[in-house]
């Protein structure tokens, strides 16, 4: 079985962005003269309403200045909204949908090596990037804080464009400032949140984290309930109350996300993907996929 699966790099993401006719030329890197492979800054491509699941080998810190979209990052599903900042980590598959026409995002991409080589110790950087793993990695901002962060992003953009003396050193300092500001926003959100007091929230979080870790092997609500030492009925009830979704839908949605990713980002055959996802056979996988997508895996691949 072939294991060739595409993981997006900063270079490949930037190349795709620069080829887009809708690329924002007013912010960030706007030509192919940028050769740094561990750092970049761009805006989103306006007009895109959804994006296929992708996995990157870099982190993204994303500021939403207007509009909204629905974002999936690993086991978290949340709304990106105006005056918010969120983090995408390389260990998770991510996708978005239902983007509003006015969505405007400022995005900084970086690899850990960009900072750990000369500025931050790795354990300090890990603490900054872990933020709070129990909650979706998105944090609301006051209008004043958002305006301040907008100015910081634009300073990063200007420094990247001008490439003056010591520009990489300055970019590292600005990025460090950005990470601390993101963590400050996280702390402010936690201070005003009471969700962490709820045992129900904690259980649902454990369920969704378990789905992320075990979706290839555990397939039923009962199996997850057993792993959490609760009844399947109670798990179904609290997942519905907390997320509005059926527990089985959460499990199936993670399988579907992985299926989309493998179909769009790998050279694997449909039979190989069915085997990788532990379906009995490719026919079973095709029926499962069609229930979600409205068309079968072969048609999905042809649309890419």
């Amino acid at each position: 079985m072939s294991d060739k699966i595409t993981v997006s790099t900063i270079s490949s993401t930037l190349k795709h962005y620069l080829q887009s006719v809708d690329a924002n030329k007013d912010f960030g890197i706007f030509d192919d003269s940028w050769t740094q492979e561990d750092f970049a800054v761009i805006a989103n491509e306006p007009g895109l309403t959804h994006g296929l699941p992708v996995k990157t080998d870099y982190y993204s810190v994303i500021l939403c200045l207007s509009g909204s979209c629905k974002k999936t990052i690993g086991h978290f599903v949340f709304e990106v909204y105006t005056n918010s900042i969120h983090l995408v980590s390389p260990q998770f598959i991510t996708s978005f949908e239902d983007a509003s026409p006015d969505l405007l995002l400022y995005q900084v991409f970086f690899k850990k090596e960009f900072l750990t080589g000369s500025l931050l110790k790795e354990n300090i950087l890990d603490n900054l990037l872990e933020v709070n793993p129990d909650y979706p990695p998105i944090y609301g901002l006051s209008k004043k804080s958002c305006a301040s962060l907008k100015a910081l992003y634009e300073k990063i953009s200007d420094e990247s464009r001008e490439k003056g003396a010591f520009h990489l050193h300055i970019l590292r300092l600005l990025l460090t400032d950005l990470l601390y500001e993101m963590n400050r926003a996280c702390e402010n959100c936690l201070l005003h949140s009471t969700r962490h007091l709820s045992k129900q929230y904690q259980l649902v979080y454990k369920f969704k984290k378990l789905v992320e870790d075990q979706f290839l092997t555990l397939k039923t609500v009962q199996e997850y309930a057993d792993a959490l030492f609760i009844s399947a009925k109670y798990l179904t009830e609290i997942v519905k109350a907390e997320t509005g979704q059926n527990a089985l839908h959460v499990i199936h949605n993670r399988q579907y996300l992985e299926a989309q990713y493998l179909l769009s980002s790998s050279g694997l055959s449909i039979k190989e993907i069915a085997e990788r996802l532990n379906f009995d056979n490719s026919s079973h996988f095709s029926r499962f996929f069609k229930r979600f997508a409205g068309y079968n895996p072969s048609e999905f691949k042809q649309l890419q």
Side-chain angles (χ1 to χ4, degrees):
M1 182 186 296
S2 168
D3 285 323
K4 186 177 182 181
I5 300 174
T6 301
V7 175
S8 296
T9 65
I10 289 177
S11 296
S12 65
T13 302
L14 193 56
K15 181 178 180 181
H16 169 79
Y17 177 76
L18 293 174
Q19 290 174 341
S20 169
V21 295
D22 294 324
N24 187 336
K25 301 298 191 295
D26 297 324
F27 176 85
I29 296 164
F30 63 98
D31 62 46
D32 56 11
S33 65
W34 185 258
T35 57
Q36 196 73 22
E37 295 186 350
D38 53 7
F39 181 88
V41 53
I42 64 173
N44 63 305
E45 294 178 55
L48 289 181
T49 58
H50 69 280
L52 289 170
V54 297
K55 197 169 189 178
T56 70
D57 67 355
Y58 57 85
Y59 290 87
S60 308
V61 183
I62 303 173
L63 179 69
C64 181
L65 295 169
S66 66
S68 64
C69 69
K70 181 181 176 182
K71 194 83 174 258
T72 299
I73 300 177
H75 53 290
F76 291 117
V77 180
F78 55 89
E79 182 183 4
V80 174
Y81 51 91
T82 303
N83 295 344
S84 69
I85 189 168
H86 69 278
L87 173 72
V88 180
S89 302
Q91 67 262 41
F92 296 122
I93 291 177
T94 181
S95 65
F96 74 92
E97 57 187 326
D98 300 332
S100 63
D102 60 337
L103 182 65
L104 176 58
L105 307 173
Y106 282 178
Q107 307 176 83
V108 167
F109 306 147
F110 67 96
K111 294 184 179 181
K112 285 174 66 174
E113 307 87 79
F114 183 70
L115 291 177
T116 55
S118 60
L119 191 61
L120 286 180
K121 291 183 178 179
E122 189 165 359
N123 64 320
I124 296 174
L125 181 57
D126 286 342
N127 287 335
L128 288 173
L129 293 173
E130 186 174 293
V131 199
N132 190 309
D134 294 346
Y135 291 86
I138 182 165
Y139 315 106
L141 303 164
S142 67
K143 289 184 178 179
K144 181 179 178 181
S145 294
C146 190
S148 177
L149 278 171
K150 179 176 183 287
L152 178 56
Y153 272 85
E154 289 171 349
K155 192 171 182 179
I156 291 171
S157 171
D158 291 343
E159 197 65 45
S160 300
R161 289 177 178 231
E162 293 167 10
K163 298 180 185 176
F166 311 112
H167 77 282
L168 290 178
H169 296 287
I170 293 172
L171 285 172
R172 290 184 178 99
L173 290 170
L174 294 173
L175 175 57
T176 302
D177 189 3
L178 176 58
L179 293 178
Y180 274 105
E181 289 292 346
M182 180 186 70
N183 275 262
R184 175 184 286 176
C186 171
E187 290 298 317
N188 287 339
C189 287
L190 289 176
L191 283 174
H192 295 91
S193 173
T194 59
R195 295 186 72 186
H196 64 285
L197 299 176
S198 164
K199 290 182 180 179
Q200 179 172 292
Y201 174 84
Q202 292 291 342
L203 261 177
V204 172
Y205 168 77
K206 287 179 181 178
F207 163 67
K208 294 172 77 173
K209 180 68 168 60
L210 195 59
V211 171
E212 180 67 23
D213 295 338
Q214 302 290 335
F215 71 94
L216 291 176
T217 54
L218 302 183
K219 303 287 186 177
T220 68
V221 175
Q222 185 65 60
E223 288 175 307
Y224 284 98
D226 290 344
L228 294 168
F229 304 104
I230 58 177
S231 71
K233 182 176 183 293
Y234 181 58
L235 179 58
T236 299
E237 289 173 354
I238 62 172
V239 171
K240 183 70 173 179
E242 192 69 34
T243 70
Q245 292 183 317
N246 183 284
L248 187 60
H249 178 79
V250 174
I251 300 166
H252 285 172
N253 194 61
R254 184 60 186 87
Q255 293 172 299
Y256 175 62
L257 187 70
E258 190 76 13
Q260 283 185 297
Y261 173 61
L262 293 174
L263 286 165
S264 61
S265 303
S266 78
L268 299 173
S269 68
I270 292 170
K271 182 176 182 294
E272 289 172 328
I273 292 172
E275 290 174 357
R276 186 178 284 258
L277 295 177
N278 288 329
F279 281 88
D280 296 334
N281 52 57
S282 55
S283 296
H284 183 197
F285 169 61
S286 293
R287 290 194 299 273
F288 167 85
F289 190 87
K290 190 170 184 177
R291 283 205 307 271
F292 274 85
Y295 35 78
N296 62 43
S298 297
E299 293 168 329
F300 178 83
K301 291 191 83 167
Q302 291 172 2
L303 292 171
Q304 306 317 304

